[in-house]
Amino acid sequence: MSGANEIKRSWQHYIDGRFVDSLDGTRIPVVNPATGEVIADIACAKAADVDMAVAAARKAFNARLLQNMKPVERSRMMHRIARILLERTEEIALVETLDNGKRISAARGDVAAAARYFEYYAGMADKLEGKSIPLGPDYIDYTVHAPFGVSAQIVPWNFPLQIGARSIACALATCNTVVMKTPELSALSLAALAQAVHDAGVPAGVVNILTGFGHEAGAALAGHGDIDHLVFTGSVQTGSRILHALADRVVPAVMELGGKSAGVVFRDADIDQVITSTRGGIFTNAGQVCSASSRLVVERPVYDQVVERMAAAASALKIGPGIEDAELTPVISDGQLDKIEAMCLRAVQAGATAASGGRRVDRPGYFMAPTVIAGTTPSSEIAQNEVFGPVLTILPFDDAEEALAIANGTDYGLCAGVYTRDLARAHLVADRLIAGQVFVNEWFAGGIETPFGGMKRSGYGREKGVEALLGYVQTKNVAIRLTAGATGRPGA
């Protein structure tokens, strides 16, 4: 790395309005997934650092720094964060590309999306209205949206900037203070977000961002006795452990726990559209997307055609570093690469066919060949479990009932898709797919304005859209007796 591709070598936590090292001085090396080389390091939080960050957030919340701010002023503060992010697009995108591995154009898009989250929820800060409830002439009764308090937020490594921004933006709009644990595998873009938060004049202690390992900092934050709310995106296994940690204190949570999402392709579908949409749906960010189109369930008359064309589309992808804006970039780590390749090898050993890919790419860095798996069964490991890599499994069906059984036949329920020219069929199938989002004829249709979240073991609660704010507030009812007398009783 040299010249225009250089980034800062040393990064810190952001706690109580200051950039600080860990109390014990430990650091985490930052590795470029495209080369396997160490390019920087960042402070490594332990339980004591988490304690300090939670104490800062608690102090800021108890001081009502956000609640005493006029909603329009909170909105303007959030707009300042958005403006700073956009002004620093190239700087932050380079950091994300070298740290995370994703293509530079996608990293620029992540910065734009992060800014959009702050803009979108800034527009909601002065529109969180309660309601008046009629109880008769002797009473005035109304509701207000009250913040939980200290919101703990644990962010994954695949889209750290976007996911971190949407959580912080919702918290600021609703007057919660934040302690965010960034992913040790891809922390730098959120450190850059911390700088934007600082430069935008967010009061000290309102937003705290630190980096550490899940079993240390993550566990300390989830199990902390002074958090009031938690937002988590990650695996079912980690989410389950976090929920156990929250249970004793009955801490509410928003949980997004991944998926094994299926697109159902009927014979009347526009196959060109299916191929283009699925190529983006599974190979974007090297398949490291919780809502990836990781399965296609295809009506048998067009099954062979779809397999052949998807394999050709996968094989045609340009593989390379994100800084070169390659179409298929590396996965996040050598451990992730080992896991993905092992799942593909087990599938082939069990009788499946790798119509394309199936193995790692022989070059420096952590590159997995874009893979299309055919000839397997709906109950196989590769069709049931989240791979979190550039691996598509294609399964045939003979009628709509079978298609629905296959699509719904996993533990997950994050996303699903329907490809058909028949509008009635699209509505009927969408109604029966068990998923928080159903895309029709375009994977990833929707946007920041549309609610996102899972069913079944994909989690609960919603991110994005207006609905996300409901996960950051609790309804408080105020009932006022206007006249003399007191006739009320429980349940009256």
Side-chain angles (χ1 to χ4, degrees), residues 438-475:
V438 178
F439 307 125
V440 178
N441 292 331
E442 182 190 4
W443 203 266
F444 297 139
I448 286 168
E449 302 83 359
T450 56
F452 174 79
M455 297 181 179
K456 298 196 288 187
R457 294 186 74 199
S458 286
Y460 51 83
R462 291 295 178 264
E463 301 279 10
K464 301 169 50 174
V466 176
E467 192 167 344
L469 294 177
L470 300 180
Y472 289 76
V473 294
Q474 45 203 334
T475 298

Side-chain angles (χ1 to χ4, degrees), residues 95-379:
V95 165
E96 183 77 327
T97 294
L98 297 180
D99 182 20
N100 183 278
K102 65 181 59 180
R103 60 191 304 186
I104 187 69
S105 58
R108 293 185 185 112
D110 283 358
V111 180
R116 175 67 180 131
Y117 278 116
F118 283 102
E119 292 170 342
Y120 181 79
Y121 289 112
M124 298 293 165
D126 57 358
K127 299 173 184 66
L128 278 172
E129 300 169 345
K131 62 183 179 181
S132 173
I133 300 172
L135 294 180
D138 295 323
Y139 299 92
I140 289 179
D141 189 282
Y142 61 90
T143 64
V144 294
H145 295 296
F148 283 102
V150 176
S151 176
Q153 301 176 355
I154 300 176
V155 178
W157 46 258
N158 58 334
F159 287 90
L161 182 60
Q162 279 206 48
I163 293 172
R166 78 188 184 196
S167 296
I168 291 173
C170 282
L172 293 179
T174 54
C175 297
N176 293 279
T177 58
V178 174
V179 178
M180 177 171 287
K181 204 286 285 185
T182 70
E184 68 274 10
L185 288 174
S186 185
L188 299 191
S189 62
L190 285 172
L193 174 57
Q195 186 67 61
V197 166
H198 181 80
D199 293 346
V202 176
V206 166
V207 175
N208 305 272
I209 300 176
L210 43 76
T211 301
F213 292 100
H215 68 280
E216 294 175 332
L221 182 57
H224 203 284
D226 202 24
I227 65 168
D228 304 301
H229 175 256
L230 186 136
V231 183
F232 173 76
T233 299
S235 70
V236 172
Q237 295 76 18
T238 303
S240 178
R241 289 195 296 271
I242 288 172
L243 286 171
H244 278 281
L246 299 177
D248 286 343
R249 294 188 54 247
V250 199
V251 172
V254 177
M255 306 295 286
E256 195 272 278
L257 304 179
K260 189 66 179 177
S261 303
V264 178
V265 181
F266 288 93
R267 70 175 75 189
D268 70 328
D270 181 337
I271 301 302
D272 289 341
Q273 191 174 44
V274 171
I275 302 304
T276 300
S277 183
T278 306
R279 182 176 61 199
I282 186 57
F283 298 126
T284 294
N285 202 32
Q288 300 169 125
V289 184
C290 53
S291 53
S293 176
S294 55
R295 293 183 295 154
L296 274 186
V297 184
V298 182
E299 197 164 9
R300 200 172 296 275
V302 294
Y303 174 79
D304 289 340
Q305 178 188 357
V306 170
V307 170
E308 180 181 351
R309 292 190 59 183
M310 277 307 313
S315 299
L317 292 170
K318 177 188 174 185
I319 301 172
I323 198 65
E324 297 176 5
D325 209 35
E327 294 170 299
L328 191 87
T329 49
V331 298
I332 192 67
S333 68
D334 54 352
Q336 184 70 6
L337 178 58
D338 289 343
K339 175 199 160 193
I340 295 166
E341 185 180 45
M343 289 185 73
C344 292
L345 290 174
R346 288 196 298 270
V348 172
Q349 289 166 359
T353 299
S356 68
R359 300 297 297 269
R360 69 183 66 206
V361 180
D362 185 16
R363 60 178 294 163
Y366 312 131
F367 292 88
M368 179 70 191
T371 299
V372 175
I373 299 290
T376 190
T377 64
S379 61

